[in-house]
Amino acid sequence: MIKKNSICLMFCLLLATTGIYAQQVNGLLGKALTERTQPAPESVFRKFREAGMKPVNHILTVSEKEKLNKAFSFLPPLHQKILKEHLSSVSFMDNMPNTALTSPVETTGPEKMFNITFRAEILNQTISEWATWKENSCYVQPENNDYQVTIEAGKLDAMVYILLHEATHVVDAVLNITPHPDDFDALVAPTPFTADIWSKINKPKEKATSALLETTRFRSGKPVLISSAQKVYEALKETPFASLYSMASWHEDLAEILTIYHLTQKMGQPYRILVNKNGVNVFVYEPFINKQVINRQSLLAMFYTPYKL
């Protein structure tokens, strides 16, 4: 059986490398984004079942639909335009191991189309709750642990953050803001976003990482002791990455920095990673106080200006 951590890491990179998830584009394409909900592609269900999961389609309640509608309304202008033309459907699933999955959809024409499937549980979480849960998946917490890692990201629905992150993958896939090679080991020409930071799709340049960061979950696939959390974020502070998850691949790098930028700089929400020891705060990491992260925000201007395909 595939472990949940492993399947999460596998799916976060699938978008760049395969089109095995497919469903036929249907009449939903002409509808408003909030009306494009339907069951996930069978290939998505099958992949989870093969991993020992028992995924079930989740039908949205009235209040859950309102949360989805609100999340769509917060998307930047470029996301709105690209999704209108390239989002085939949105799905929700119970008993899904990872938070969300963006999948290519098979079409009969040249248009790139996508489905986004979300774990339904996130509909009942705030960004702070969900982000704290995800961040703690990076750490092993032994008995008599003195440390705690939390993320303060306000009280908005987790759906706001996660939809923006996944929608950024769609925009990226359509516009090639980052390269999309068929092979993880391929050496390809950089784009302005990846230049000087990434050498391969999932390998940062040596100057953009550290020996310690290379041991963390989204680099090595394994969690580290939570007692090392302060040193981890001190190391992250010396990089151009907005989060540990940013380091999983250049696709996740783009999705994370744009999402955190939009949340903090456009929506006025907080995003702080806190490390506490015995109830006392010992370290804080705020991405958009990091000069190396701030220096990259000019690359995000395209998401907020008129764009013609």
Side-chain angles (χ1 to χ4, degrees):
M1 180 183 294
I2 300 175
K3 293 182 179 179
K4 290 188 177 182
N5 282 353
S6 298
I7 198 170
C8 179
L9 289 170
M10 175 180 68
F11 281 130
C12 79
L13 297 174
L14 273 175
L15 179 61
T17 59
T18 181
I20 65 170
Y21 301 129
Q23 72 180 152
Q24 295 297 323
V25 176
N26 54 34
L28 290 175
L29 187 58
K31 295 185 177 182
L33 293 174
T34 56
E35 297 176 0
R36 299 186 190 184
T37 56
Q38 69 171 33
E42 176 55 31
S43 54
V44 175
F45 278 100
R46 183 170 61 252
K47 201 68 179 178
F48 289 136
R49 292 188 192 111
E50 290 173 352
M53 317 296 175
K54 296 181 179 179
V56 179
N57 180 57
H58 180 90
I59 299 175
L60 296 180
T61 64
V62 173
S63 62
E64 289 171 344
K65 288 180 181 178
E66 291 176 353
K67 291 181 179 182
L68 178 61
N69 293 348
K70 189 174 182 179
F72 270 118
S73 73
F74 287 138
L75 294 178
L78 183 58
H79 288 66
Q80 301 275 359
K81 175 178 175 58
I82 296 296
L83 292 189
K84 182 178 180 181
E85 300 170 1
H86 296 275
L87 182 65
S88 173
S89 57
V90 178
S91 308
F92 289 84
M93 189 181 288
D94 293 314
N95 301 326
M96 179 176 171
N98 54 317
T99 297
L101 172 64
T102 296
S103 310
V105 170
E106 190 174 274
T107 69
T108 56
E111 289 288 334
K112 294 180 179 179
M113 302 300 299
F114 300 88
N115 163 269
I116 305 177
T117 299
F118 299 95
R119 188 176 71 236
E121 181 184 357
I122 66 171
L123 291 162
N124 299 313
Q125 296 176 304
T126 64
I127 298 176
S128 295
E129 291 169 340
W130 169 80
T132 295
W133 164 81
K134 180 176 181 179
E135 200 71 12
N136 276 275
S137 72
C138 296
Y139 299 104
V140 175
Q141 301 188 32
E143 292 184 16
N144 302 317
N145 169 49
D146 297 329
Y147 290 86
Q148 183 180 26
V149 172
T150 58
I151 294 184
E152 292 183 350
K155 297 181 179 180
L156 290 177
D157 295 330
M159 192 69 206
V160 173
Y161 188 109
I162 300 162
L163 175 62
L164 179 53
H165 179 106
E166 296 302 318
T168 303
H169 286 319
V170 175
V171 176
D172 184 21
V174 172
L175 301 182
N176 292 311
I177 301 170
T178 65
H180 289 72
D182 294 328
D183 185 345
F184 281 0
D185 289 325
L187 292 173
V188 296
T191 64
F193 184 80
T194 64
D196 297 324
I197 295 175
W198 293 91
S199 58
K200 296 180 182 178
I201 186 173
N202 60 349
K203 185 177 180 181
K205 287 184 177 292
E206 193 171 316
K207 66 179 181 179
T209 187
S210 72
L212 176 58
L213 290 173
E214 288 299 299
T215 68
T216 56
R217 181 190 169 203
F218 299 119
R219 297 298 309 137
S220 71
K222 299 178 181 179
V224 298
L225 284 172
I226 196 167
S227 57
S228 67
Q230 180 174 348
K231 291 182 179 179
V232 166
Y233 296 116
E234 286 174 346
L236 185 64
K237 192 175 181 180
E238 300 303 316
T239 76
F241 297 113
S243 68
L244 292 177
Y245 193 42
S246 297
M247 301 186 72
S249 74
W250 56 44
H251 302 305
E252 302 303 343
D253 183 18
L254 175 63
E256 282 288 276
I257 195 171
L258 186 280
T259 300
I260 295 172
Y261 172 79
H262 189 72
L263 188 71
T264 61
Q265 308 303 301
K266 297 295 185 178
M267 296 181 67
Q269 298 295 303
Y271 192 91
R272 293 183 287 270
I273 303 174
L274 308 178
V275 181
N276 289 344
K277 183 178 180 181
N278 293 321
V280 177
N281 179 249
V282 294
F283 193 78
V284 180
Y285 177 62
E286 292 189 61
F288 279 91
I289 292 180
N290 179 344
K291 291 183 179 180
Q292 292 192 63
V293 174
I294 292 172
N295 288 341
R296 302 178 75 193
Q297 70 182 37
S298 61
L299 297 170
L300 307 178
M302 65 178 294
F303 290 94
Y304 301 94
T305 56
Y307 190 94
K308 294 183 179 180
L309 294 177

mmCIF file of all heavy atoms in Angstrom, residues 175-198:
data_model
loop_
_atom_site.group_PDB
_atom_site.id
_atom_site.type_symbol
_atom_site.label_atom_id
_atom_site.label_comp_id
_atom_site.label_asym_id
_atom_site.label_seq_id
_atom_site.Cartn_x
_atom_site.Cartn_y
_atom_site.Cartn_z
ATOM 1 N N LEU A 175 -0.224 28.734 -19.541
ATOM 2 C CA LEU A 175 0.677 29.808 -19.973
ATOM 3 C C LEU A 175 2.162 29.460 -19.875
ATOM 4 O O LEU A 175 3.006 30.243 -20.303
ATOM 5 C CB LEU A 175 0.409 31.071 -19.154
ATOM 6 C CG LEU A 175 -1.009 31.643 -19.226
ATOM 7 C CD1 LEU A 175 -1.108 32.919 -18.407
ATOM 8 C CD2 LEU A 175 -1.427 31.902 -20.669
ATOM 9 N N ASN A 176 2.480 28.290 -19.286
ATOM 10 C CA ASN A 176 3.881 27.874 -19.130
ATOM 11 C C ASN A 176 4.725 28.925 -18.413
ATOM 12 O O ASN A 176 5.808 29.298 -18.871
ATOM 13 C CB ASN A 176 4.489 27.541 -20.495
ATOM 14 C CG ASN A 176 3.881 26.287 -21.103
ATOM 15 O OD1 ASN A 176 3.790 25.264 -20.439
ATOM 16 N ND2 ASN A 176 3.454 26.379 -22.353
ATOM 17 N N ILE A 177 4.221 29.383 -17.284
ATOM 18 C CA ILE A 177 4.976 30.324 -16.460
ATOM 19 C C ILE A 177 6.210 29.627 -15.903
ATOM 20 O O ILE A 177 7.261 30.231 -15.714
ATOM 21 C CB ILE A 177 4.082 30.877 -15.335
ATOM 22 C CG1 ILE A 177 2.875 31.583 -15.948
ATOM 23 C CG2 ILE A 177 4.862 31.853 -14.449
ATOM 24 C CD1 ILE A 177 1.800 31.949 -14.935
ATOM 25 N N THR A 178 6.078 28.338 -15.624
ATOM 26 C CA THR A 178 7.220 27.473 -15.337
ATOM 27 C C THR A 178 7.295 26.431 -16.450
ATOM 28 O O THR A 178 6.283 26.150 -17.102
ATOM 29 C CB THR A 178 7.064 26.757 -13.977
ATOM 30 O OG1 THR A 178 5.945 25.855 -14.045
ATOM 31 C CG2 THR A 178 6.860 27.753 -12.853
ATOM 32 N N PRO A 179 8.461 25.844 -16.699
ATOM 33 C CA PRO A 179 8.559 24.813 -17.739
ATOM 34 C C PRO A 179 7.771 23.562 -17.351
ATOM 35 O O PRO A 179 7.574 23.279 -16.170
ATOM 36 C CB PRO A 179 10.061 24.510 -17.792
ATOM 37 C CG PRO A 179 10.728 25.701 -17.166
ATOM 38 C CD PRO A 179 9.769 26.173 -16.109
ATOM 39 N N HIS A 180 7.324 22.821 -18.360
ATOM 40 C CA HIS A 180 6.573 21.587 -18.137
ATOM 41 C C HIS A 180 7.220 20.434 -18.904
ATOM 42 O O HIS A 180 6.676 19.925 -19.880
ATOM 43 C CB HIS A 180 5.115 21.768 -18.566
ATOM 44 C CG HIS A 180 4.330 22.650 -17.655
ATOM 45 N ND1 HIS A 180 4.530 24.008 -17.604
ATOM 46 C CD2 HIS A 180 3.374 22.363 -16.737
ATOM 47 C CE1 HIS A 180 3.709 24.530 -16.689
ATOM 48 N NE2 HIS A 180 3.005 23.538 -16.160
ATOM 49 N N PRO A 181 8.398 19.983 -18.457
ATOM 50 C CA PRO A 181 9.085 18.886 -19.151
ATOM 51 C C PRO A 181 8.398 17.547 -18.894
ATOM 52 O O PRO A 181 7.664 17.380 -17.918
ATOM 53 C CB PRO A 181 10.484 18.904 -18.531
ATOM 54 C CG PRO A 181 10.250 19.428 -17.142
ATOM 55 C CD PRO A 181 9.148 20.450 -17.281
ATOM 56 N N ASP A 182 8.631 16.586 -19.788
ATOM 57 C CA ASP A 182 8.065 15.247 -19.622
ATOM 58 C C ASP A 182 8.869 14.398 -18.650
ATOM 59 O O ASP A 182 8.395 13.371 -18.174
ATOM 60 C CB ASP A 182 8.004 14.531 -20.977
ATOM 61 C CG ASP A 182 7.024 15.199 -21.931
ATOM 62 O OD1 ASP A 182 6.015 15.746 -21.440
ATOM 63 O OD2 ASP A 182 7.273 15.178 -23.146
ATOM 64 N N ASP A 183 10.087 14.833 -18.348
ATOM 65 C CA ASP A 183 10.995 14.051 -17.509
ATOM 66 C C ASP A 183 11.495 14.925 -16.362
ATOM 67 O O ASP A 183 11.971 16.046 -16.576
ATOM 68 C CB ASP A 183 12.178 13.569 -18.362
ATOM 69 C CG ASP A 183 13.117 12.639 -17.614
ATOM 70 O OD1 ASP A 183 13.040 12.572 -16.362
ATOM 71 O OD2 ASP A 183 13.945 11.986 -18.269
ATOM 72 N N PHE A 184 11.398 14.423 -15.113
ATOM 73 C CA PHE A 184 11.862 15.184 -13.946
ATOM 74 C C PHE A 184 13.343 15.541 -14.050
ATOM 75 O O PHE A 184 13.791 16.549 -13.509
ATOM 76 C CB PHE A 184 11.646 14.373 -12.672
ATOM 77 C CG PHE A 184 10.234 14.399 -12.163
ATOM 78 C CD1 PHE A 184 9.236 15.105 -12.808
ATOM 79 C CD2 PHE A 184 9.902 13.697 -11.011
ATOM 80 C CE1 PHE A 184 7.940 15.122 -12.338
ATOM 81 C CE2 PHE A 184 8.605 13.705 -10.522
ATOM 82 C CZ PHE A 184 7.626 14.413 -11.186
ATOM 83 N N ASP A 185 14.112 14.702 -14.708
ATOM 84 C CA ASP A 185 15.554 14.917 -14.786
ATOM 85 C C ASP A 185 15.976 15.762 -15.984
ATOM 86 O O ASP A 185 17.160 16.005 -16.191
ATOM 87 C CB ASP A 185 16.283 13.566 -14.847
ATOM 88 C CG ASP A 185 16.216 12.829 -13.522
ATOM 89 O OD1 ASP A 185 16.246 13.492 -12.471
ATOM 90 O OD2 ASP A 185 16.121 11.586 -13.541
ATOM 91 N N ALA A 186 14.994 16.205 -16.768
ATOM 92 C CA ALA A 186 15.321 16.968 -17.969
ATOM 93 C C ALA A 186 15.899 18.340 -17.616
ATOM 94 O O ALA A 186 15.450 19.002 -16.675
ATOM 95 C CB ALA A 186 14.080 17.144 -18.827
ATOM 96 N N LEU A 187 16.902 18.741 -18.365
ATOM 97 C CA LEU A 187 17.444 20.090 -18.252
ATOM 98 C C LEU A 187 16.812 20.931 -19.346
ATOM 99 O O LEU A 187 17.018 20.678 -20.534
ATOM 100 C CB LEU A 187 18.971 20.064 -18.404
ATOM 101 C CG LEU A 187 19.758 19.382 -17.281
ATOM 102 C CD1 LEU A 187 21.240 19.281 -17.647
ATOM 103 C CD2 LEU A 187 19.577 20.135 -15.966
ATOM 104 N N VAL A 188 16.016 21.901 -18.959
ATOM 105 C CA VAL A 188 15.287 22.721 -19.919
ATOM 106 C C VAL A 188 15.615 24.188 -19.686
ATOM 107 O O VAL A 188 16.100 24.578 -18.620
ATOM 108 C CB VAL A 188 13.769 22.497 -19.802
ATOM 109 C CG1 VAL A 188 13.403 21.058 -20.164
ATOM 110 C CG2 VAL A 188 13.273 22.832 -18.403
ATOM 111 N N ALA A 189 15.348 24.991 -20.704
ATOM 112 C CA ALA A 189 15.594 26.430 -20.577
ATOM 113 C C ALA A 189 14.714 27.004 -19.471
ATOM 114 O O ALA A 189 13.518 26.699 -19.398
ATOM 115 C CB ALA A 189 15.300 27.123 -21.906
ATOM 116 N N PRO A 190 15.269 27.824 -18.600
ATOM 117 C CA PRO A 190 14.471 28.398 -17.511
ATOM 118 C C PRO A 190 13.509 29.455 -18.021
ATOM 119 O O PRO A 190 13.693 30.029 -19.103
ATOM 120 C CB PRO A 190 15.527 29.007 -16.595
ATOM 121 C CG PRO A 190 16.638 29.391 -17.521
ATOM 122 C CD PRO A 190 16.666 28.292 -18.562
ATOM 123 N N THR A 191 12.488 29.728 -17.257
ATOM 124 C CA THR A 191 11.612 30.867 -17.490
ATOM 125 C C THR A 191 12.023 31.952 -16.502
ATOM 126 O O THR A 191 12.797 31.688 -15.581
ATOM 127 C CB THR A 191 10.143 30.489 -17.254
ATOM 128 O OG1 THR A 191 9.972 30.148 -15.873
ATOM 129 C CG2 THR A 191 9.731 29.309 -18.134
ATOM 130 N N PRO A 192 11.537 33.170 -16.661
ATOM 131 C CA PRO A 192 11.896 34.211 -15.696
ATOM 132 C C PRO A 192 11.597 33.813 -14.252
ATOM 133 O O PRO A 192 12.324 34.199 -13.334
ATOM 134 C CB PRO A 192 11.036 35.398 -16.140
ATOM 135 C CG PRO A 192 10.902 35.209 -17.622
ATOM 136 C CD PRO A 192 10.773 33.728 -17.805
ATOM 137 N N PHE A 193 10.553 33.004 -14.040
ATOM 138 C CA PHE A 193 10.202 32.623 -12.678
ATOM 139 C C PHE A 193 11.186 31.615 -12.090
ATOM 140 O O PHE A 193 11.482 31.658 -10.893
ATOM 141 C CB PHE A 193 8.782 32.048 -12.624
ATOM 142 C CG PHE A 193 8.338 31.728 -11.216
ATOM 143 C CD1 PHE A 193 7.883 32.733 -10.375
ATOM 144 C CD2 PHE A 193 8.411 30.434 -10.722
ATOM 145 C CE1 PHE A 193 7.510 32.449 -9.058
ATOM 146 C CE2 PHE A 193 8.044 30.137 -9.420
ATOM 147 C CZ PHE A 193 7.583 31.154 -8.587
ATOM 148 N N THR A 194 11.692 30.691 -12.889
ATOM 149 C CA THR A 194 12.567 29.635 -12.359
ATOM 150 C C THR A 194 14.048 29.977 -12.442
ATOM 151 O O THR A 194 14.866 29.347 -11.775
ATOM 152 C CB THR A 194 12.332 28.309 -13.106
ATOM 153 O OG1 THR A 194 12.713 28.463 -14.492
ATOM 154 C CG2 THR A 194 10.878 27.887 -13.024
ATOM 155 N N ALA A 195 14.403 30.962 -13.242
ATOM 156 C CA ALA A 195 15.819 31.292 -13.452
ATOM 157 C C ALA A 195 16.516 31.611 -12.140
ATOM 158 O O ALA A 195 15.975 32.305 -11.267
ATOM 159 C CB ALA A 195 15.934 32.478 -14.410
ATOM 160 N N ASP A 196 17.719 31.071 -11.978
ATOM 161 C CA ASP A 196 18.593 31.313 -10.828
ATOM 162 C C ASP A 196 18.095 30.682 -9.526
ATOM 163 O O ASP A 196 18.738 30.838 -8.482
ATOM 164 C CB ASP A 196 18.806 32.821 -10.602
ATOM 165 C CG ASP A 196 19.513 33.485 -11.770
ATOM 166 O OD1 ASP A 196 20.385 32.841 -12.367
ATOM 167 O OD2 ASP A 196 19.166 34.638 -12.073
ATOM 168 N N ILE A 197 16.979 29.970 -9.579
ATOM 169 C CA ILE A 197 16.457 29.334 -8.368
ATOM 170 C C ILE A 197 16.356 27.818 -8.533
ATOM 171 O O ILE A 197 16.686 27.068 -7.624
ATOM 172 C CB ILE A 197 15.082 29.922 -7.986
ATOM 173 C CG1 ILE A 197 15.245 31.401 -7.614
ATOM 174 C CG2 ILE A 197 14.439 29.139 -6.844
ATOM 175 C CD1 ILE A 197 13.958 32.123 -7.326
ATOM 176 N N TRP A 198 15.924 27.372 -9.710
ATOM 177 C CA TRP A 198 15.737 25.949 -9.965
ATOM 178 C C TRP A 198 16.662 25.471 -11.072
ATOM 179 O O TRP A 198 16.844 26.156 -12.071
ATOM 180 C CB TRP A 198 14.291 25.658 -10.371
ATOM 181 C CG TRP A 198 13.296 25.879 -9.275
ATOM 182 C CD1 TRP A 198 12.613 27.027 -9.001
ATOM 183 C CD2 TRP A 198 12.884 24.918 -8.296
ATOM 184 N NE1 TRP A 198 11.795 26.857 -7.917
ATOM 185 C CE2 TRP A 198 11.938 25.557 -7.463
ATOM 186 C CE3 TRP A 198 13.212 23.590 -8.040
ATOM 187 C CZ2 TRP A 198 11.319 24.907 -6.393
ATOM 188 C CZ3 TRP A 198 12.596 22.940 -6.982
ATOM 189 C CH2 TRP A 198 11.668 23.594 -6.173
#
